[in-house]
């Protein structure tokens, strides 16, 4: 369901154009990395540690090396001195920013989490490689593992990375703030609560995988990888092999989801590249599901203690957040210090005049943390869950409490206490639209009736502002728009679409602004020999940063085509228009030429071009984004809790969102839906569990539960459109669905449980946890 | 996630199955729908040098009714049971438990014999077989053996089937008279193994008092269990009150022995188990009281 007519629908932009990628994807004809076969290709499997922390006292690979069909069994002794540069994301490789664990290809002398790779077997088939893994003899002297992230910082005896001297990966805090203390001491109410988010993992449908082919004779590397960011992979490969980027070609084909897991080049893929380089043979490694759950990357393990002071009118006077994050053993780029973003975004859509914060990230002997759709989302989780806690504490309805504190349009631009400046956002409008779509007031009365009949219904809201970073390497995207001699258009982009529909949306933008039919536009990405350098796809950046580049390139091509046509037709450029690839004099359609004719002239009849004009009809345009952009949304959800079983049924789900100008409403809604499902999973189902010794207990989909269609209600959408002040007015929205959904679902459950006196502050809320909360409720 | 090497056999007769099992003993394992065995092989949680695929043995498929019992041959798929009108008439509990097993894709491959031989304590069929006192027919080279359900399940994933034997059929007694049946469970998601579940079968006499009662529990111990104490409490009594059902649910948990795992605590399972026993008993008793004819006959009209 869609409400609110769009203000800015064009011929293609703003239309729910069917996805160009779907015919091949929905018929099972996508091409993924496991579809790649290269002559002479070998298959790799990792032997991984099954203790969380320990010294390797014996490692004997002799029997495995003798196994028939095995080409190599590589250990730290073979590979660890081979990387020519740091095995880190490019943006951290110079050591100037971020924190990093000492990453090595293979465990060397000790292991630091269950799943730590110890050896790589390269064989004729994956079957043989796995058989050989079983023949490797490893003995460990187990050491006490650091598993509990709340105690890691204080543990000075057991260190995850002895080289670093401490389990604290990073820590930051605002200086003491007397004005905040003062505001809180004068507040009518001060409420403190601690919230936890559990460890999750992105679980893309396609696991990770790579085919790496170092050709020693060509001195060149070819890589096919399931990636969100092919140019990052190219940079990384060049760095670790010490070869020129021009000698490395990376191809990303269809990708079955990434959600952040594939944004940087992970350690295991780098190790496979090193192995191919050593052996001079193509090597394929396809991660299996067990490895994906065990050792890919995890996310979301956070704790936040929040204090909020409110005046007698229910207006927030100040807040504090103390954040703790579990980085695991090897944080995979981008995180292992999301705390900064958690703190900066904590005020979200509310007027919070003063803010104090602290954030600490710790190492543990568990799988490393990595980006997962909304990596810093603890700010929204903690804030929105807290909004309901405070509302209940002061006797206000959570909607009313939000209304009193939400930033209104008339207050924009608004600078938050953490120094973020919002413009072109509409938190108050989305709050009201979501409340009205879910029939908030009507629900409250139905809820009261149900309670009288012993049934427990709840409603929850999740309101947030989603930033899109446009700093540094993240801030530039390129599009190359090329009209071919027959008038069709090839567009080359540096994105790494892996479900975001960029083949369609970029074509919409180009078709709209160039004046051709959408079927005439083909979008190409993923091949670093062909695509312009770009930042891949991640961080909700392709919509707001890549689209303006495509728009600009299309406009420039159009302009040149018109100038050529005007010259050929002896007309004034200002009198010409292009529509459907036909260029005609406005008002006199009979006087026309075609884009094909113009393109043919541009390439093959350059003598006919206006004097001095460069031949060709092709433009590459780069767009530099502002440092931060914002979109916003409000999620609203209703549920029923079965007080006898603790089972939660979601009954309705509404999202009101504002991503500025929508290129394709169907794609926007599809992105939201996917995120919402992940958020539902995060609240009700998903959890990576370790025992006290650091053994993972959730290494198959029997134990790590992702929601299926049966668990998800119909998602209803409302749109508010506040264009960004950037070309086209597009804003990012890829991650938001996963962010707002967590507190919305959590708050709905908490709301249903409130009359039972049951309190919850941890995720997930499986039936066992819900019933435990009901049982723990003070008798009433 | 690739299995260790094995040799694959595809016999077409029960004799050949028995012959292969006799020849390879502990090294061999029957392969039915593969929905449990194949993942365990792929994860290398288990390994067998020989897999004896039962899928080509036509004699192992199908359902038939003779006098007092319904025979379900081992390789009958769960989906076939779900659609079979005879099963629904003769052993309604089996029919009603079936949609709770996994997803339809799983049920298209998964078999009755596989579910019972696999003996997952959270499975529906073992609890149904135990509650209804089904008989298991095992075949080996040395002949046919019949085993009572109460002797069949020995532990988690453990039955009395030895390496030489194959399960060929299960015989379910058909209940006559005024009967009612119910099966309920709580699972994390649609299609998941139950966190806890209960089945109930009830027969009432003309006066509406309970004549026969069977309560099976799943997900509530290392094997499927019977709630004997609760059954005994019911028999000969008029239908319980709501409080009476609740008390029976509590009583049934005396026979339960659940565990903690990542999905739920043992105390959760007990609490929900008691609730499910109360609910299934109430609905089975109610159905029995509404029935004037044997339930099969009533529903067939
Ligand atoms: C996603 C998923 C969800 C599921 N959910 C449920 C659920 O909710 N409830 C439930 O009960 N089950 C569930 N299952 C399991 C499913 O029902 C399996 O089909 C069943 O447990 C085994 O049946 P099978 O025919 O696939 O046997 P297989 O996997 O082929 O075999 C299982 C075991 O039984 C042995 N075996 C099989 N047949 C014979 C025979 N005739 N004689 C001797 N030994 C034999 C095999 O050797 C093996 O040890 C689920 C499975 C999956 C994958």
């Amino acid at each position: 369901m869609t409400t609110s007519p769009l203000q800015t629908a064009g011929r293609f932009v703003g239309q729910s154009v069917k996805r160009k990628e779907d015919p091949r994807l929905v018929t099972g004809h996508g091409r993924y990395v496991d579809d790649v076969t290269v002559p002479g290709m070998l298959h790799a499997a990792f032997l991984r540690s099954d203790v969380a922390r320990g010294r390797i006292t014996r490692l004997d690979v002799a029997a495995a090396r003798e196994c028939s069909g095995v080409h190599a069994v590589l250990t730290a002794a073979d590979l660890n001195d081979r990387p020519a540069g740091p095995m880190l994301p490019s943006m951290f490789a110079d050591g100037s920013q971020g924190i990093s664990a000492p990453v090595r290809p293979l465990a060397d002398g000790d292991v630091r989490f269950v799943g730590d790779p110890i050896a790589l077997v390269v064989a004729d088939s994956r079957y043989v490689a796995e058989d050989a893994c079983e023949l490797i003899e490893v003995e460990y002297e187990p050491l006490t593992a650091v598993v509990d992230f709340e105690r890691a910082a204080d543990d000075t005896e057991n260190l995850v990375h002895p080289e670093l001297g401490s389990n604290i990966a990073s820590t930051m805090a605002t200086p003491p703030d007397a004005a905040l203390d003062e505001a809180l001491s004068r507040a009518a109410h001060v409420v403190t609560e601690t919230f936890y988010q559990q460890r999750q993992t992105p679980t893309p449908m396609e696991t990770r995988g790579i085919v790496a082919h170092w050709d020693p004779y060509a001195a060149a590397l070819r890589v096919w990888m399931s990636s969100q960011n092919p140019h990052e992979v190219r940079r990384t490969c060049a760095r670790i092999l010490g070869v020129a980027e021009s000698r490395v070609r990376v191809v990303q084909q269809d990708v079955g989801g990434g959600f952040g897991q594939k944004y940087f080049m992970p350690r295991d893929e780098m190790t496979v590249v090193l192995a191919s380089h050593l052996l001079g043979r193509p090597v394929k490694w396809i991660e299996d599901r067990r490895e994906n759950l065990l050792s890919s990357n995890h996310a979301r393990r956070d704790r936040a203690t929040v204090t909020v002071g409110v005046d007698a009118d229910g207006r927030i006077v100040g807040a504090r957040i103390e954040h703790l994050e579990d980085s695991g053993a090897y944080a995979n780029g981008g995180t292992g210090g999301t705390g900064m973003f958690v703190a900066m975004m904590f005020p979200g859509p509310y007027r919070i005049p003063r803010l104090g914060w602290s954030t600490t990230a710790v190492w543990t002997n568990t799988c490393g943390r990595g980006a997962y759709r909304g990596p810093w989302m603890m700010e929204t989780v903690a804030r929105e869950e807290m909004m309901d806690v405070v509302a209940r504490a002061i006797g206000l309805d959570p909607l009313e409490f939000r209304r009193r504190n939400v930033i209104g349009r008339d207050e924009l631009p608004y600078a938050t206490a953490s120094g973020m400046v919002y413009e072109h956002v509409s938190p108050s409008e989305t709050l009201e639209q979501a409340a009205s779509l879910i029939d908030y007031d009507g629900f409250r009365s139905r809820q009261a009736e149900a309670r009288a009949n012993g049934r427990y219904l709840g409603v929850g809201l999740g309101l947030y502002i989603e930033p899109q970073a446009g700093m540094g390497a993240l801030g530039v995207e390129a599009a190359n728009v090329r009209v071919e001699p027959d008038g069709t258009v090839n567009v080359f982009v540096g994105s790494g679409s892996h479900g975001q529909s960029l083949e369609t949306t970029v074509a919409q933008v180009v078709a709209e602004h160039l004046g051709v039919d959408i079927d005439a536009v083909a979008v190409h990405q993923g091949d670093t020999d062909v695509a312009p350098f770009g930042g891949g796809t991640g961080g909700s950046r392709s919509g707001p940063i890549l689209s303006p580049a495509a728009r600009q390139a299309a406009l420039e091509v159009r302009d040149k085509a018109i100038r050529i046509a005007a010259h050929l037709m002896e007309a004034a450029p200002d009198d010409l228009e292009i529509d459907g690839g036909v260029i005609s004099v406005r008002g006199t359609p009979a006087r026309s030429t075609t884009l094909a004719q113009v393109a043919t002239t541009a390439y093959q009849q350059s003598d006919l071009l206006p004097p001095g004009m460069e031949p060709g009809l092709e433009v590459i345009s780069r767009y530099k984004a502002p440092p931060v952009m914002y979109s916003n949304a409000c999620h609203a959800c209703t549920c029923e809790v079965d007080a006898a079983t603790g089972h939660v049924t979601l009954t309705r789900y509404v999202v009101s969102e504002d991503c500025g100008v929508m290129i394709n409403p169907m794609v926007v809604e599809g992105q939201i839906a996917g995120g919402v499902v992940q958020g539902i999973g995060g609240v009700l189902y998903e959890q990576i569990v370790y025992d006290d010794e650091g053994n993972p207990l959730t290494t198959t989909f029997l134990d790590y539960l992702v929601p299926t269609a049966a668990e998800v209600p119909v998602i209803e959408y409302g749109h508010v459109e506040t264009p960004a002040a950037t070309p086209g007015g597009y804003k990012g929205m890829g991650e938001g669905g996963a962010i707002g959904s967590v507190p919305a679902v959590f708050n709905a459950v908490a709301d249903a449980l409130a009359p039972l006196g049951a309190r919850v502050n941890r995720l997930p809320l499986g039936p066992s946890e819900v019933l435990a909360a009901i049982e723990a409720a003070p008798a009433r | 996630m690739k299995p260790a090497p094995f040799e694959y056999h595809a016999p077409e007769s029960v004799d050949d199955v028995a012959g292969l099992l006799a020849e390879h003993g502990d090294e061999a394992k029957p392969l039915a729908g593969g929905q449990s065995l194949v993942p365990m092989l792929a994860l290398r949680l288990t390994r067998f040098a020989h897999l004896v695929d039962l899928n080509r043995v036509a004699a192992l498929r199908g359902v038939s009714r003779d006098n007092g019992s319904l025979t379900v041959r081992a390789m009958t798929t769960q989906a076939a049971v779900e659609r079979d009108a005879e099963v629904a008439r003769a052993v309604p509990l089996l029919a009603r438990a079936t949609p709770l097993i996994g997803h339809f894709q799983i049920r298209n491959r998964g078999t009755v014999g596989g579910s019972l031989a696999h003996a997952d304590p959270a499975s529906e069929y073992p609890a149904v077989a135990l509650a209804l006192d089904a008989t298991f027919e095992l075949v080996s080279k040395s002949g046919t053996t019949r085993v009572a359900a109460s002797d069949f399940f020995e532990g988690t994933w453990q039955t009395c089937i030895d390496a030489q034997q194959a399960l060929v059929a299960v015989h379910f007694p058909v209940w006559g008279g005024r009967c009612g049946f119910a099966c309920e469970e709580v699972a994390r998601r649609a299609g998941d193994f139950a966190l806890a579940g209960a089945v109930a079968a009830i027969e009432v006499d003309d006066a509406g008092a309970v004549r026969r009662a069977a309560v099976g529990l799943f997900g509530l111990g290392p094997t499927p269990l019977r709630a004997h104490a609760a059954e005994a409490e019911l028999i000969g009594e008029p239908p319980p009150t709501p409080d009476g059902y609740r008390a029976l649910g509590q009583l049934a948990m005396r026979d339960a022995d659940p565990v903690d795992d990542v999905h739920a605590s043992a105390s959760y399972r007990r609490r929900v188990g008691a609730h499910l026993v109360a609910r299934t008993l109430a609905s089975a008793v109610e159905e029995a009281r509404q029935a004037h004819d044997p339930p099969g006959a009533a529903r067939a009209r």
Side-chain angles (χ1 to χ4, degrees):
Chain A
M1 190 186 83
T2 301
T3 59
S4 315
L6 304 169
Q7 302 162 25
T8 49
R11 179 92 181 259
F12 300 109
V13 168
Q15 305 297 337
S16 290
V17 170
K18 284 199 178 146
R19 301 204 321 155
K20 282 173 174 276
E21 38 280 82
D22 273 344
R24 69 171 190 277
L25 294 181
V26 302
T27 57
H29 290 84
R31 275 187 64 81
Y32 300 88
V33 64
D34 200 19
D35 294 317
V36 173
T37 301
V38 179
M41 185 172 81
L42 301 175
H43 299 262
F46 285 96
L47 174 77
R48 298 180 182 279
S49 172
D50 39 41
V51 309
R53 179 165 173 258
R55 269 185 276 279
I56 299 175
T57 53
R58 194 168 93 90
L59 176 59
D60 184 348
V61 298
R65 280 189 176 139
E66 262 147 47
C67 188
S68 135
V70 168
H71 291 253
V73 180
L74 305 174
T75 65
D78 305 298
L79 285 185
N80 281 19
D81 61 356
R82 293 188 67 89
M87 293 177 67
L88 292 173
S90 303
M91 64 170 78
F92 306 127
D94 65 1
S96 67
Q97 41 178 321
I99 40 160
S100 59
V103 185
R104 337 165 259 193
L106 295 166
D108 195 356
D110 70 342
V111 290
R112 300 180 184 187
F113 73 102
V114 173
D116 213 349
I118 296 171
L120 183 71
V121 177
V122 182
D124 284 340
S125 77
R126 175 73 181 231
Y127 286 87
V128 174
E130 290 193 21
D131 293 346
C133 280
E134 291 192 321
L135 298 174
I136 298 174
E137 290 169 41
V138 202
E139 282 165 24
Y140 310 90
E141 178 199 331
L143 300 170
T144 305
V146 181
V147 183
D148 181 351
F149 83 123
E150 296 188 80
R151 293 209 306 242
D154 294 334
D155 194 338
T156 50
E157 201 174 313
N158 304 297
L159 297 180
V160 176
H161 299 299
E163 303 88 331
L164 302 180
S166 158
N167 287 332
I168 299 177
S170 68
T171 184
M172 274 179 289
T174 46
D177 179 352
L180 174 60
D181 297 342
E182 167 83 12
L184 290 177
S185 71
R186 284 164 181 263
H189 314 269
V190 176
V191 184
T192 297
E193 178 66 282
T194 298
F195 301 97
Y196 290 84
Q197 206 173 7
Q198 81 281 30
R199 183 181 279 256
Q200 296 170 56
T201 187
T203 63
M205 225 189 279
E206 182 196 20
T207 55
R208 296 182 298 147
I210 184 171
V211 176
H213 184 192
W214 171 256
D215 179 344
Y217 305 101
L221 179 75
R222 265 198 89 164
V223 167
W224 294 261
M225 196 172 124
S226 186
S227 169
Q228 300 173 224
N229 195 348
H231 284 96
E232 167 66 14
V233 173
R234 189 181 72 178
R235 296 214 75 187
T236 306
C237 289
R239 184 172 60 252
I240 62 172
L241 296 189
V243 302
E245 287 186 40
S246 57
R247 307 307 298 162
V248 180
R249 179 177 185 183
V250 176
V251 175
Q252 170 219 346
Q253 312 182 117
D254 288 321
V255 174
F259 312 114
Q261 192 164 76
K262 301 170 183 171
Y263 190 70
F264 298 109
M265 185 167 189
R267 169 190 183 187
D268 292 342
E269 284 88 325
M270 292 191 228
T271 303
V272 173
V273 167
L274 294 169
S276 173
H277 190 239
L278 176 68
L279 302 173
R281 294 281 300 267
V283 180
K284 174 187 272 189
W285 171 70
I286 303 295
E287 181 185 52
D288 66 27
R289 184 58 64 187
R290 184 170 169 274
E291 292 180 287
N292 184 260
L293 291 168
L294 180 79
S295 50
S296 205
N297 68 258
H298 293 165
R300 304 265 197 268
R301 186 77 178 118
D302 299 276
R303 181 188 73 192
T305 299
V306 181
T307 298
V308 170
V310 186
D311 71 14
D313 295 330
R315 294 199 161 74
I316 298 172
V317 297
R320 244 192 223 117
I321 173 167
E322 291 159 32
H323 171 247
L324 178 68
E325 150 181 334
D326 185 348
S327 295
Y330 296 99
N332 169 9
T335 45
T338 59
M340 225 359 229
F341 292 98
V342 173
M344 302 305 276
M345 286 312 298
F346 180 75
Y350 305 112
R351 267 175 258 109
I352 299 181
R354 298 211 75 86
L355 175 72
W357 55 264
S358 71
T359 174
T360 299
V362 294
W363 305 116
T364 56
N365 292 111
T366 60
C367 177
R369 181 179 179 123
Y372 177 23
R373 210 171 191 177
W376 63 91
M377 68 185 284
M378 192 59 187
E379 48 82 22
T380 287
V381 173
R383 181 191 63 247
E384 290 303 301
E385 293 179 3
M386 187 63 175
M387 289 302 282
D388 278 37
V389 168
V390 175
R392 272 194 290 277
I394 66 175
L396 272 184
D397 186 274
L399 173 60
E400 176 56 25
F401 182 49
R402 283 180 175 78
R403 280 181 174 142
R404 290 191 192 178
N405 289 284
V406 69
I407 298 163
R409 199 169 279 242
D410 54 346
E411 294 168 85
L412 301 175
Y414 182 92
T416 70
S418 56
M420 316 295 280
V421 181
Y422 305 146
E423 252 189 294
H424 317 291
V425 290
S426 57
S428 164
E429 288 85 343
T430 54
L431 176 66
E432 295 305 333
Q433 189 182 58
S436 127
L437 283 171
I438 201 118
D439 184 22
Y440 194 91
D441 297 337
F443 179 84
R444 283 287 184 216
S445 52
R446 287 192 296 282
Q447 179 185 40
E449 282 164 35
R451 257 170 217 174
N453 296 321
R455 289 172 55 205
Y456 297 91
L457 313 188
V459 61
L461 298 168
L463 183 65
Y464 63 95
I465 289 190
E466 178 185 355
Q468 295 98 50
M471 296 91 115
L474 299 173
V476 180
E477 287 297 339
N480 177 3
V481 173
R482 182 201 294 163
V483 181
E484 303 296 350
D486 68 353
T488 60
V489 184
N490 276 316
V491 184
F492 304 91
V493 284
S495 55
S497 181
H498 51 288
Q500 290 78 3
S501 321
L502 296 179
E503 270 177 68
T504 307
T505 57
V506 169
Q508 286 177 264
V509 169
V510 169
E512 180 82 33
H513 295 289
L514 180 47
V516 296
D517 196 78
I518 190 153
D519 292 336
V521 184
V523 177
H524 310 275
Q525 63 154 31
D527 182 342
T528 57
D529 269 10
V530 177
F533 189 88
T537 292
S540 309
R541 294 166 38 265
S542 291
I545 308 182
L546 177 60
S547 307
R551 180 180 181 276
Q552 183 60 28
L555 286 170
E556 286 178 26
V557 169
R558 179 183 192 277
D559 183 60
K560 185 170 181 182
I562 291 228
R563 281 188 287 128
I564 296 170
H567 184 69
L568 295 175
M569 294 162 72
E570 296 180 345
D574 286 350
D575 292 340
L576 298 186
E577 61 185 8
I578 312 189
D579 188 14
V582 176
I583 305 170
S584 57
V585 176
R586 203 172 283 115
T588 319
R591 277 193 70 197
S592 69
T593 183
T594 61
L595 190 60
Q597 182 57 53
V598 166
T600 301
T601 307
Y603 293 107
Q604 296 188 317
Q605 302 158 340
S606 51
D607 294 340
L608 302 180
L609 291 174
M613 181 184 272
E614 185 188 328
L617 194 50
E618 170 175 32
V619 168
I620 178 159
S621 178
R622 283 199 158 72
Y623 174 69
K624 164 81 186 82
V628 200
M629 294 155 283
Y630 301 98
S631 54
N632 61 277
C634 183
H635 292 222
C637 158
T638 60
C639 76
E640 174 158 8
V641 175
D642 181 339
T645 65
H647 193 85
V648 176
T649 306
L650 301 181
T651 44
R652 277 190 71 198
Y653 203 100
V654 162
V655 182
S656 166
E657 70 77 45
D658 184 349
C659 66
V661 173
M662 282 190 286
I663 300 168
N664 184 325
M666 179 187 73
V667 167
V668 168
E669 292 176 359
Q671 289 290 301
I672 294 171
V676 168
V677 173
Q678 288 173 314
I680 290 172
V683 179
L684 299 179
Y685 304 104
E686 299 182 29
Q687 182 173 26
I688 295 277
V689 184
Y690 284 94
D691 71 10
D692 294 344
E693 277 77 54
N695 300 303
L697 305 180
T698 44
T699 58
T700 73
F701 277 157
L702 193 65
D703 291 319
Y704 189 80
L705 309 181
V706 293
T708 72
E711 281 71 48
V712 177
V714 170
I715 300 168
E716 303 162 60
Y717 307 92
H719 299 287
V720 174
E721 192 184 80
T722 310
T726 51
Y730 320 119
K731 301 175 186 171
M733 49 73 51
E735 293 160 283
I739 298 171
S741 46
V742 172
V745 176
F746 178 94
N747 286 339
V749 177
D751 185 53
L753 292 177
L756 291 161
R759 281 181 52 219
V760 283
N761 71 339
R762 281 169 197 267
L763 293 168
L765 294 174
S768 191
E769 290 81 15
V770 169
L771 214 52
I774 293 174
E775 282 181 337
R780 32 174 63 206
Chain B
M1 271 210 200
K2 305 288 184 204
F6 57 82
E7 198 176 320
Y8 173 81
H9 306 270
E12 295 185 1
S13 71
V14 175
D15 279 353
D16 288 349
V17 170
L20 284 162
L21 294 178
E23 185 183 344
H24 299 295
D26 282 352
E27 303 263 271
K29 196 73 181 158
L31 170 67
Q35 300 301 292
S36 299
L37 182 57
V38 171
M40 291 178 86
L41 292 169
L43 289 162
R44 299 195 184 213
L45 294 173
T46 184
R47 66 188 62 213
F48 295 95
H50 300 271
L51 289 189
V52 180
D53 187 348
L54 307 181
N55 282 279
R56 285 177 184 72
V57 187
L60 286 179
R61 284 186 200 271
V63 173
S64 56
R65 184 168 172 176
D66 17 58
N67 291 343
S69 80
L70 182 85
T71 298
V72 182
R73 276 173 280 282
M75 288 301 291
T76 311
T77 62
Q78 297 152 352
V81 167
E82 196 174 358
R83 288 192 302 263
D84 192 299
E86 189 62 47
V87 173
R89 264 195 304 276
V91 188
L93 199 49
L94 191 60
R96 292 186 206 171
T98 304
L100 300 178
I101 302 173
H103 311 267
F104 70 87
Q105 297 92 332
I106 307 292
R107 299 194 293 273
N108 281 339
R109 298 286 309 180
T111 64
V112 173
S115 285
L116 293 166
H118 188 57
D120 192 299
S123 267
E124 293 79 3
Y125 281 169
V128 171
L130 187 68
L132 296 181
D133 292 317
T135 306
F136 291 72
E137 188 177 333
L138 309 177
V139 164
S140 71
K141 235 184 149 179
S142 47
T144 298
T145 319
R146 285 184 174 239
V147 181
S150 52
D151 296 325
F152 183 78
F153 301 103
E154 296 187 336
T156 297
W157 302 326
Q158 279 171 343
T159 69
C160 69
I161 305 179
D162 72 36
Q164 314 257 332
Q165 291 175 316
L167 173 63
V168 294
V170 191
H171 307 283
F172 291 90
V174 175
W175 284 32
R178 296 174 66 193
C179 298
F181 303 92
C183 174
E184 284 202 47
E185 67 180 44
V186 172
R188 293 289 305 267
R189 301 169 304 181
D192 281 339
F193 276 104
L195 299 178
V199 300
I202 295 290
E203 185 190 344
V204 297
D205 61 21
D206 291 344
V210 175
R211 173 183 283 163
R212 242 203 310 184
V215 178
L217 309 175
F218 54 107
L220 286 161
T223 61
L225 297 166
R226 280 289 282 272
H228 291 294
E231 292 170 2
E233 190 82 7
L234 269 163
I235 291 172
E237 298 294 322
T241 60
D243 278 346
Y245 284 120
R246 271 194 285 278
L248 286 165
Q250 300 293 347
L251 185 60
M253 289 307 105
R254 268 199 214 161
D255 289 304
D257 182 17
V259 292
D260 284 314
D261 67 17
V262 296
H263 299 304
S265 63
S267 77
Y268 174 85
R269 289 184 156 93
R270 277 182 181 282
R271 195 171 151 160
V272 168
H275 173 72
L276 292 171
V277 168
R279 263 193 0 205
T280 50
L281 277 176
S283 83
V285 169
E286 186 54 26
E287 183 178 82
R289 283 163 52 80
Q290 300 293 328
H292 297 292
D293 304 306
R299 248 181 305 280
R301 278 207 292 278

